């Protein structure tokens, strides 16, 4: 039996959660609280397996409640059910100790029951939109370095230029014509978005 308590000030939504929990034979509703202050006093007396809490509560915020209760009820898991989908609120809730985050809109009875069971079984249930936001926060655009932009021959040209060699000397060392060296330089300028060899060398960090 999974024991559950609710902290939710929206009476209609709270009754909806109560009905969903009441319809599941393996769920048991311990109590519902309209604010964090009442929950903070009552919940530690009979800690449930799971607390479903809103963020925007009258008085103390849901995140502050979670912080305080996790210290008193280390075995209880917390799931936020909120309308807030901004990054700051999501990260605040997770940092404060929530193991799941479900958006109220849209949410179905099936979403709620699945989230409760997932959380109880060690998962971290999240609405798809929330999960995507969290994944994106860890992803950074792949920026190609100047080194990876250039071919091996182009890098060789820059190396020789940095040694102060003239085009003719570079051509001799590379076994190519002077025109080929100039063609390599033209490609380098385009790739590095520069106008001359000094800018190219500076950007390539060879000076």
């Amino acid at each position: 039996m999974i024991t559950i308590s609710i902290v939710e000030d929206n009476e209609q939504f709270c009754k909806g959660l109560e009905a969903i929990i009441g319809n599941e034979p393996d769920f048991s509703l311990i109590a519902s609280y309209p604010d964090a202050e009442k929950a903070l006093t009552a919940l530690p007396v009979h800690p449930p397996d799971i607390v479903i809490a809103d963020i925007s509560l009258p008085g103390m915020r849901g995140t502050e409640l979670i912080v305080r209760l996790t210290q008193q009820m280390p075995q209880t898991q917390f799931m936020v059910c909120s309308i807030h989908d901004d990054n700051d609120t999501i990260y605040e809730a997770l940092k404060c100790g929530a193991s799941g985050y479900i958006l109220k809109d849209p949410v179905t009875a099936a979403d709620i029951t699945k989230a409760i069971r997932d959380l109880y079984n060690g998962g971290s249930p999240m609405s798809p939109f929330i999960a995507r936001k969290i994944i994106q926060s860890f992803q950074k655009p792949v920026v190609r370095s100047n080194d990876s932009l250039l071919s091996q021959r182009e890098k060789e040209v820059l190396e020789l230029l940095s040694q102060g060699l003239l085009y003719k000397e570079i051509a001799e060392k590379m076994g190519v014509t002077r025109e080929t060296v100039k063609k390599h330089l033209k490609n380098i300028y385009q790739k590095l978005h520069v106008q001359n060899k000094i800018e190219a060398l500076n950007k390539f960090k060879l000076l």
Side-chain angles (χ1 to χ4, degrees):
M1 185 69 69
I2 304 174
T3 56
I4 304 159
S5 289
I6 301 168
V7 187
E8 172 61 65
D9 65 318
N10 184 311
E11 186 177 353
Q12 183 178 357
F13 191 80
C14 185
K15 287 187 179 298
L17 288 176
E18 290 173 348
I20 291 169
I21 292 168
N23 286 333
E24 299 299 315
D26 56 333
F27 291 176
S28 175
L29 179 66
I30 302 300
S32 297
Y33 306 96
D35 57 60
E37 286 76 11
K38 289 185 176 64
L40 187 60
T41 301
L43 280 171
V45 179
H46 297 291
D49 295 315
I50 291 171
V51 172
I52 301 175
D54 192 5
I55 294 289
S56 297
L57 296 167
M60 185 190 301
R61 281 171 61 81
T63 47
E64 177 63 22
L65 173 67
I66 292 172
V67 168
R68 296 194 185 191
L69 287 178
T70 50
Q71 298 171 1
Q72 301 180 56
M73 303 156 48
Q75 301 305 314
T76 297
Q77 300 190 77
F78 296 85
M79 181 170 72
V80 168
C81 194
S82 173
I83 61 171
H84 297 291
D85 61 3
D86 60 285
N87 289 353
D88 288 345
T89 302
I90 295 167
Y91 301 144
E92 180 189 9
L94 297 177
K95 285 174 66 177
C96 286
S99 296
Y101 199 115
I102 302 296
L103 290 176
K104 287 182 177 179
D105 185 21
V107 70
T108 65
D111 293 333
I112 295 294
T113 56
K114 183 178 185 303
I116 290 172
R117 290 192 176 94
D118 285 350
L119 186 59
Y120 183 76
N121 289 317
S124 294
M126 295 182 191
S127 297
F129 180 81
I130 300 297
R132 173 62 64 90
K133 277 206 163 195
I134 292 172
I135 290 171
Q136 288 175 340
S137 73
F138 287 99
Q139 294 175 333
K140 295 182 179 179
V142 177
V143 179
R144 296 180 68 189
S145 67
N146 293 335
D147 184 76
S148 64
L149 283 172
L150 304 178
S151 69
Q152 188 58 43
R153 295 294 270 177
E154 289 165 350
K155 285 185 277 187
E156 189 176 351
V157 169
L158 283 177
E159 289 279 2
L160 294 172
L161 270 178
S162 70
Q163 297 171 22
L165 272 63
L166 301 175
Y167 293 169
K168 181 182 177 181
E169 295 170 322
I170 293 172
E172 290 174 354
K173 277 191 170 290
M174 294 180 64
V176 298
T177 66
R178 188 171 181 274
E179 291 304 311
T180 299
V181 172
K182 293 176 70 175
K183 184 177 179 182
H184 282 315
L185 277 172
K186 182 180 178 181
N187 291 336
I188 290 169
Y189 295 169
Q190 289 177 342
K191 290 181 179 180
L192 298 184
H193 305 290
V194 295
Q195 301 298 319
N196 54 59
K197 65 180 181 181
I198 301 300
E199 290 180 3
L201 289 170
N202 278 326
K203 196 160 187 178
F204 198 60
K205 299 180 180 179
L206 288 175
L207 283 180

